[in-house]
């Protein structure tokens, strides 16, 4: 028995009671250890906002029934079933279900958030939208990937997750003008993006080396402009047919990834100008045929028709029109008679004013197509309407341009060279790729972006749509190089974009990343191993061939 003394201390009067207390203490200790063990296996990237460990496990059978509250969720489940086909086979049933999926306006998790509950006998996912349901299924997918597997089932820990993203734009860009990768590689990337809840694929399809999207009204864009790549101007023609684009768009859409196509203008237009020189505005000795002709009225119709055709196969809310580095190759505008007539007619004092005029004309075209214009941070200086324009801040050495974007009330996507250019080296020992001063592009620096010290960030955070990493492909000529530069930095990118700053911790992220590397092994991805670099030697890049003159027609 327990006797309460005046000094408020308990006195044990029965030795059997002591034994019972010791036994209870032992079981409590085991329970705590068990809880820590369960928490260790809740390994989800990006880290969810709230996780409650319930204790115990659920065995997911090889085949299980699913109920959905709305038929609009059937395609979502079909995509999920395809993603986990090597693990389990879910099927819709009107009978008692193992997994219940419900659209619920009261979750308080926003457009992309979800509530995932894993109990000892069933799983439920609730979300405000189908996109939120999909994100919940991706978290479930990860718990199944790391679960204890037998031939009959997968054992996963019981928990409750309530989750929503920090930023609405969590993007990744691939440049396929300089080197072309093709449908299979892009779809693999899209599925890994979906697993990590990245929602925007920016597709850089045109630039100097090659034009990579079929335009039926202008077939020479691919027949002639699609020839060559960054290191070999004589490489065979490579591009996506419109049917292939439609298939990739469908694949991305099923994974709730929007595609933002880019047609770079008025600079970086060399491939297009090889095909249709009548719209060329000239260039410079180092960059011949670099620009479109802003003084020729037909140029605007030509480019608008291209954008209209692209909108017909890529149902996007945004159109990216580049707008960067025009001054690299616009010197022939000074002697181009069309441009000189334009300057006189519109009272344009210099070539910068010509560039601004071009951008405003194309902004009108984008608006007529009912799209929002996106451009690199140079567009801030060209007088575009902030209400219908998004700025991608990329020049990490020019934070004044970022602050100017904020002050002019533009919405901004943060994608600075350091640390979000994935063609830059991720380790000081690497030789192939760009190198940045100061904060480099290591996986840890990617993870810790954006810092609170970023100029203007705290004051204007409501104007920040999100973040994006960019993969320019000058030195990425094959799949090995692609994998090495993208993975696993893309995992750090996802957590940087999804998880709120107070919850981010690289030491907590590292063990979850190790598990993801095991998954990349299964996919035979040639990733860089930040934990043991000796296991992942750097694949050799390529050097650009000597630039040769390429005829406009061949």
């Amino acid at each position: 028995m327990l006797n309460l003394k005046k000094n408020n201390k308990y006195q044990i009067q029965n030795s059997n009671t002591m034994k019972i207390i010791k036994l209870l203490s032992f079981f409590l200790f085991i329970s705590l250890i068990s809880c820590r063990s369960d928490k260790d296996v809740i390994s989800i990237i990006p880290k969810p906002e709230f996780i409650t460990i319930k204790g115990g496990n659920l065995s997911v059978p090889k085949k299980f029934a699913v109920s959905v509250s709305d038929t609009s969720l059937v395609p979502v489940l079909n995509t999920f079933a395809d993603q986990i086909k090597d693990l389990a086979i879910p099927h819709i049933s009107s009978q008692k279900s193992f997994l219940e999926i419900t659209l619920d306006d009261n979750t308080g998790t926003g457009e992309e958030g979800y509530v995932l509950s894993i109990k000892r006998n069933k799983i439920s996912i609730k979300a405000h939208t189908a996109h939120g349901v999909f994100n919940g299924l991706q978290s479930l997918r990860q718990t199944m990937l790391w679960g204890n597997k037998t031939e009959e089932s997968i054992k996963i820990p019981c928990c409750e997750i309530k989750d929503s993203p920090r930023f609405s734009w969590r993007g990744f860009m691939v440049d396929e003008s300089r080197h072309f990768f093709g449908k299979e590689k892009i779809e693999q990337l899209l599925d890994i993006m979906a697993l990590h809840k990245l929602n925007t694929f920016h597709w850089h399809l045109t630039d100097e080396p090659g034009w990579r999207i079929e335009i039926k009204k202008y077939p020479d864009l691919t027949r002639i402009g699609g020839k060559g790549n960054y290191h070999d101007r004589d490489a065979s023609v490579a591009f996506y047919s419109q049917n292939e684009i439609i298939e990739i768009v469908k694949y991305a859409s099923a994974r709730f990834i929007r595609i933002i196509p880019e047609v770079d203008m008025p600079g970086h237009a060399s491939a297009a100008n090889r095909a249709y020189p009548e719209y060329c505005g000239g260039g410079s000795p180092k960059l011949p045929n670099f620009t479109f002709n802003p003084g020729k009225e037909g140029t605007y119709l030509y480019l608008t028709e291209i954008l209209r055709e692209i909108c017909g196969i890529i149902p996007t809310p945004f159109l990216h029109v580049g707008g960067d580095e025009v001054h690299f190759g616009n010197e022939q505008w000074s002697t181009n008679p069309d441009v000189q007539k334009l300057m006189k007619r519109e009272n344009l004092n210099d070539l910068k004013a010509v560039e601004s005029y071009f951008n405003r004309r194309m902004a009108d075209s984008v608006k007529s197509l009912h799209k929002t214009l996106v451009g690199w941070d140079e567009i801030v200086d060209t007088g575009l309407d902030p209400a219908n324009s998004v700025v991608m801040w990329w020049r990490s050495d020019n934070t004044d341009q970022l602050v100017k974007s904020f002050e002019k009330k533009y919405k901004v996507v943060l994608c600075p060279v350091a640390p979000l250019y994935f063609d830059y080296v991720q380790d000081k020992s690497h030789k192939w790729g760009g190198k940045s001063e100061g904060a480099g592009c290591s996986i840890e620096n990617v993870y810790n972006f954006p810092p609170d010290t970023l100029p203007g960030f705290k004051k204007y955070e409501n104007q920040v749509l999100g973040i994006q990493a960019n993969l320019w492909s000058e030195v990425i000529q094959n799949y090995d190089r692609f994998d090495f530069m993208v993975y696993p930095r893309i995992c750090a990118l996802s957590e940087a974009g999804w998880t709120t700053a107070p919850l981010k911790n690289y030491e907590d992220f590292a063990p979850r990343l190790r598990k993801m590397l095991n998954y990349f092994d299964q996919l035979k991805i040639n990733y860089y191993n930040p934990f043991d670099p000796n296991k992942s030697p750097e694949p050799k890049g390529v050097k650009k061939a000597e630039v040769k003159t390429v005829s406009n027609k061949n």
Side-chain angles (χ1 to χ4, degrees):
M1 295 176 62
L2 295 177
N3 183 28
L4 185 60
K5 297 290 186 180
K6 290 181 180 180
N7 61 4
N8 292 328
K9 291 184 179 179
Y10 293 111
Q11 182 177 16
I12 307 300
Q13 295 183 338
N14 190 314
S15 61
N16 288 333
T17 306
M18 178 66 77
K19 291 178 182 178
I20 292 172
I21 290 176
K22 287 182 177 180
L23 191 61
L24 288 172
S25 298
F26 173 77
F27 282 122
L28 177 61
F29 173 76
I30 293 299
S31 175
L32 291 172
I33 293 296
S34 174
C35 285
R36 285 200 298 271
S37 177
D38 281 345
K39 192 169 184 177
D40 288 341
V41 296
I42 305 293
S43 182
I44 296 172
I45 299 175
K47 184 177 182 178
E49 191 172 11
F50 299 103
I51 301 180
T52 303
I53 307 301
K54 294 297 186 180
N57 296 284
L58 166 69
S59 290
V60 181
K62 189 70 176 178
K63 296 182 179 180
F64 59 87
V66 184
S67 66
V68 294
S69 66
D70 193 289
T71 56
S72 66
L73 297 175
V74 173
V76 179
L77 181 63
N78 289 340
T79 300
F80 175 66
D82 184 62
Q83 291 175 319
I84 65 165
K85 59 188 176 185
D86 294 333
L87 298 172
I89 305 171
H91 61 278
I92 292 178
S93 174
S94 58
Q95 305 299 317
K96 185 176 180 180
S97 62
F98 183 81
L99 168 60
E100 295 179 351
I101 302 177
T102 308
L103 289 178
D104 186 341
D105 293 338
N106 299 313
T107 60
T109 56
E111 291 296 306
E112 294 188 68
Y114 63 92
V115 175
L116 168 63
S117 177
I118 302 174
K119 298 180 179 179
R120 291 178 183 268
N121 60 345
K122 70 174 185 178
I123 305 168
S124 69
I125 294 176
K126 295 180 180 180
H128 179 57
T129 65
H131 193 170
V133 167
F134 182 81
N135 286 332
L137 288 168
Q138 298 313 298
S139 290
L140 176 60
R141 179 183 168 195
Q142 288 196 39
T143 64
M144 292 173 68
L145 282 170
W146 324 136
N148 294 322
K149 301 175 182 65
T150 67
E151 289 186 6
E152 294 79 25
S153 66
I154 303 171
K155 187 177 288 186
I156 60 176
C158 296
C159 63
E160 183 97 9
I161 296 174
K162 185 176 182 180
D163 200 9
S164 58
R166 179 184 187 185
F167 295 119
S168 63
W169 187 303
R170 303 177 306 282
F172 194 80
M173 187 217 78
V174 173
D175 162 26
E176 288 203 79
S177 173
R178 291 172 175 84
H179 286 106
F180 183 81
F181 303 108
K183 181 172 178 284
E184 180 180 351
K185 197 61 180 174
I186 294 302
E187 287 187 347
Q188 181 188 60
L189 170 69
L190 289 169
D191 198 56
I192 293 173
M193 286 176 63
L195 179 65
H196 289 83
K197 305 183 181 75
L198 295 170
N199 66 359
T200 304
F201 177 53
H202 172 182
W203 212 352
H204 191 83
L205 290 163
T206 76
D207 211 302
E208 301 162 64
W211 184 283
R212 307 301 182 196
I213 179 170
E214 178 189 19
I215 304 297
K216 293 186 183 295
K217 188 160 188 174
Y218 298 100
D220 282 351
L221 285 171
T222 47
R223 189 179 70 84
I224 295 172
K227 181 179 180 181
N229 57 43
Y230 183 80
H231 76 283
D232 182 1
R233 292 295 180 91
D234 295 320
S236 299
V237 169
F239 65 93
Y240 291 102
S241 69
Q242 291 199 2
N243 285 338
E244 288 174 317
I245 294 282
I246 290 169
E247 288 173 1
I248 293 171
V249 167
K250 182 178 179 181
Y251 194 89
S253 179
R255 286 152 181 78
F256 292 88
I257 296 172
R258 61 191 174 192
I259 293 181
I260 313 298
E262 180 181 356
V263 176
D264 213 340
M265 59 180 79
H268 292 281
S270 309
N273 289 333
R274 290 200 301 271
Y276 293 94
E278 59 266 39
Y279 302 112
C280 178
S284 65
K286 289 186 177 180
L287 296 169
N289 305 316
F290 185 73
T291 66
F292 290 116
N293 187 343
K296 195 168 189 176
E297 194 62 27
T299 302
Y300 301 102
L301 176 61
Y302 165 64
L303 292 172
T304 301
E305 288 176 334
I306 289 170
L307 294 179
R308 181 178 290 111
E309 196 165 318
I310 289 173
C311 289
I313 57 173
I314 303 178
T316 172
F318 301 96
L319 281 174
H320 201 303
V321 296
D324 61 315
E325 300 177 333
V326 180
H327 65 284
F328 283 5
N330 68 348
E331 64 183 70
Q332 287 182 322
W333 287 1
S334 298
T335 56
N336 184 298
D338 296 324
V339 176
Q340 292 306 303
K341 288 178 184 177
L342 171 69
M343 293 179 72
K344 185 176 181 180
R345 185 181 75 242
E346 300 292 334
N347 295 316
L348 305 176
N349 296 325
D350 53 29
L351 299 188
K352 185 65 178 176
V354 174
E355 180 185 337
S356 297
Y357 174 85
F358 175 94
N359 283 343
R360 289 193 297 271
R361 287 288 303 272
M362 291 312 304
D364 288 342
S365 294
V366 170
K367 189 173 183 178
S368 73
L369 296 169
H370 308 290
K371 307 297 180 183
T372 298
L373 180 146
V374 185
W376 303 109
D377 62 44
E378 286 92 337
I379 70 168
V380 175
D381 301 317
T382 61
L384 298 186
D385 178 11
N388 198 52
S389 308
V390 173
V391 172
M392 285 192 164
W393 175 65
W394 69 276
R395 289 180 287 179
S396 51
D397 60 347
N398 189 349
T399 55
D400 288 345
Q401 197 72 357
L402 173 62
V403 174
K404 189 189 297 184
S405 302
F406 289 143
E407 290 176 343
K408 290 189 175 183
K409 303 188 183 308
Y410 286 100
K411 296 292 187 182
V412 177
V413 176
L414 305 173
C415 52
V417 171
L420 297 184
Y421 268 35
F422 281 14
D423 52 306
Y424 274 56
V425 298
Q426 51 202 317
D427 186 273
K428 291 180 179 179
S429 67
H430 294 165
K431 298 178 180 179
W432 299 95
K435 294 179 173 64
S436 60
E437 296 294 331
C441 300
S442 68
I443 188 169
E444 191 166 356
N445 287 340
V446 173
Y447 183 86
N448 289 320
F449 186 83
D452 287 340
T453 55
L454 194 65
F457 178 70
K458 279 191 172 181
K459 183 177 180 181
Y460 298 102
E461 189 172 357
N462 64 320
Q463 290 174 230
V464 177
L465 293 179
I467 67 173
Q468 176 176 295
N470 298 328
L471 183 75
W472 302 101
S473 62
E474 285 90 339
V475 293
I476 301 173
Q477 78 281 15
N478 55 36
Y479 286 179
D480 278 352
R481 287 286 304 165
F482 185 101
D483 289 352
F484 188 82
M485 302 303 274
V486 173
Y487 307 108
R489 282 190 287 190
I490 198 169
C491 306
L493 173 73
S494 78
E495 194 147 317
W498 180 280
T499 306
T500 55
L503 293 178
K504 285 168 59 179
N505 181 289
Y506 188 78
E507 286 68 33
D508 172 73
F509 170 71
R512 289 180 284 121
L513 181 63
R514 287 181 183 272
K515 290 190 175 183
M516 190 62 72
L517 296 187
N518 294 332
Y519 179 58
F520 292 160
D521 282 330
Q522 295 174 34
L523 298 178
K524 302 188 185 313
I525 285 176
N526 186 51
Y527 60 85
Y528 168 66
N529 189 329
F531 305 109
D532 191 352
N534 291 329
K535 287 185 177 180
S536 54
E538 181 186 22
K540 187 177 180 181
V542 292
K543 292 182 178 179
K544 186 175 181 180
E546 183 180 352
V547 175
K548 297 180 289 184
T549 301
V550 180
S551 63
N552 287 323
K553 297 286 182 182
N554 52 17

